Amino acid sequence: MAGRFAPRPSRTTVRGGHVVLPGGTPGAARGAIPRQAAEPARVRSWAPDGPLDLGLVLGPLRRGPGDPTFRTTPDGAVWRVCRTPAGPGTLRVTLRGTVARGEAWGPGGDWLLDRLPELLGAADDPDAFRPRHRLLAVTRHRRPGLRLVRTGLVMESLIPSVLEQKVTTDEAYRAWRLLVRKFGEPAPGPAPERMYVMPAPRTWALIPSWEWHLAGVDDKRASTVLRAVRVAARLEEAVRLDPVRARERLELVSGIGPWTSAEVVQRSHGAADAVTVGDLHLPGIVGYALAGDRDADDAVMLELLEPYAGQRHRAARLILLSGRTPARRVPKMPRGDIGKL
């Protein structure tokens, strides 16, 4: 098998949402870019008013190294495929010096380019954060390009977040990968191979029960997705609400709680204060980093983050990116696969 498959060009630090962008060589970059489609790319450039790190900003949108909707290539580009209100679209983002360049294809290409600045954090205000702990101050200094992404899309973050409920990340990423590749559409334009557009709400609703089972998704999570896609239009409208009201609307759907709604608005709204509660690991990580308490629960975590009210999600991101996490005391949770039953 040696030599048949090229090594993955990047990795994702899942909890920190950091994608390492490869440097690559000119020859390797040319080999990684697929042949161009007949449709010319629409292009837009944008110069941020401060440092910008594409890997840090767009990393939270990646659902594992095999995500069919997200890819980094050896030339340093980030490819993103999504379903916009105008239709499927492919976006390629590169950073040259201090200028971000977006190229888009497909019916949703113009929609993606119109929102390129917001996607890259134009609506975010990193200067609003005031670190009160040395760890946060040092991490912020080392990661000056961190901005909070804002996609303007709800369902593309909601469905994978539901799939991540109460299972290992490996199981959730596998389910997302299998379902999108099987029921999604090939990405428009010259996207890298095996990139697909997320299925439309009606397609999600028509997925047979056995396909959910084969993807390792139990009935509870599958039912939550089905309930959500039935009201997809109303949930997408939540992007026009403030994060608090948007979360309230999302949580009207049975099966969507505070953990899931926070994970969604962090990406769809760029919500700087939407701290995730109900997570298995985050309270212990925050407690350990700020107070040396690896057994902290949600209440302790919220108390420690209180000085950062309005910026609690950013504080949590910086803690995760700092790498200061407690050592594991128990074996890693075993990966399950109900599809084998």
Side-chain angles (χ1 to χ4, degrees), residues 28-255:
R30 285 194 298 269
I33 300 300
R35 64 181 183 276
Q36 296 295 307
E39 176 192 3
R42 284 151 281 177
V43 180
R44 177 178 183 179
S45 296
W46 174 69
D49 57 2
L52 176 66
D53 186 319
L54 285 183
L56 287 178
V57 176
L58 299 179
L61 303 181
R62 188 180 193 181
R63 307 291 180 158
D67 188 347
T69 67
F70 191 103
R71 190 78 52 84
T72 60
T73 49
D75 63 337
V78 176
W79 292 80
R80 168 172 152 76
V81 180
C82 54
R83 184 172 297 279
T84 75
T90 298
L91 177 68
R92 178 179 183 265
V93 185
T94 54
L95 189 62
R96 296 293 180 264
T98 60
V99 178
R101 173 186 168 92
E103 301 170 77
W105 297 265
D110 290 334
W111 190 95
L112 290 169
L113 291 179
D114 288 344
R115 288 153 183 82
L116 179 66
E118 284 194 0
L119 179 73
L120 298 180
D124 186 32
D125 183 12
D127 294 333
F129 182 76
R130 295 289 183 268
R132 302 191 179 191
H133 192 283
R134 184 176 183 276
L135 178 71
L136 294 177
V138 170
T139 305
R140 184 189 183 194
H141 176 73
R142 291 176 176 173
R143 308 282 193 171
L146 173 64
R147 291 169 177 259
L148 299 183
V149 65
R150 178 186 172 95
T151 65
L153 298 169
V154 172
M155 296 304 295
E156 73 163 20
S157 294
L158 176 59
I159 293 176
S161 294
V162 171
L163 297 178
E164 292 174 8
Q165 292 175 350
K166 299 186 183 300
V167 295
T168 64
T169 53
D170 285 347
E171 292 175 78
Y173 292 160
R174 174 181 177 272
W176 173 250
R177 182 172 65 250
L178 292 177
L179 291 169
V180 171
R181 285 180 178 171
K182 189 162 189 176
F183 298 100
E185 307 168 28
E193 293 182 3
R194 296 179 66 79
M195 289 198 74
Y196 291 85
V197 183
M198 182 187 77
R202 178 166 174 78
T203 304
W204 284 110
L206 295 177
I207 294 177
S209 59
W210 59 85
E211 294 290 355
W212 292 101
H213 183 85
L214 291 173
V217 182
D218 58 75
D219 183 66
K220 183 176 181 180
R221 287 179 292 150
S223 297
T224 300
V225 172
L226 294 177
R227 284 191 290 267
V229 297
R230 291 188 186 112
V231 291
R234 291 288 290 161
L235 295 183
E236 286 290 0
E237 290 173 1
V239 78
R240 297 196 289 267
L241 306 175
D242 64 79
V244 174
R245 293 176 61 199
R247 294 184 65 180
E248 292 174 351
R249 177 172 293 192
L250 290 171
E251 291 175 22
L252 291 174
V253 178
S254 179

Side-chain angles (χ1 to χ4, degrees), residues 297-313:
D297 56 12
D298 281 334
V300 174
M301 176 182 70
L302 293 176
E303 182 179 351
L304 291 172
L305 293 177
E306 182 58 33
Y308 305 102
Q311 295 285 317
R312 293 179 298 175
H313 170 53

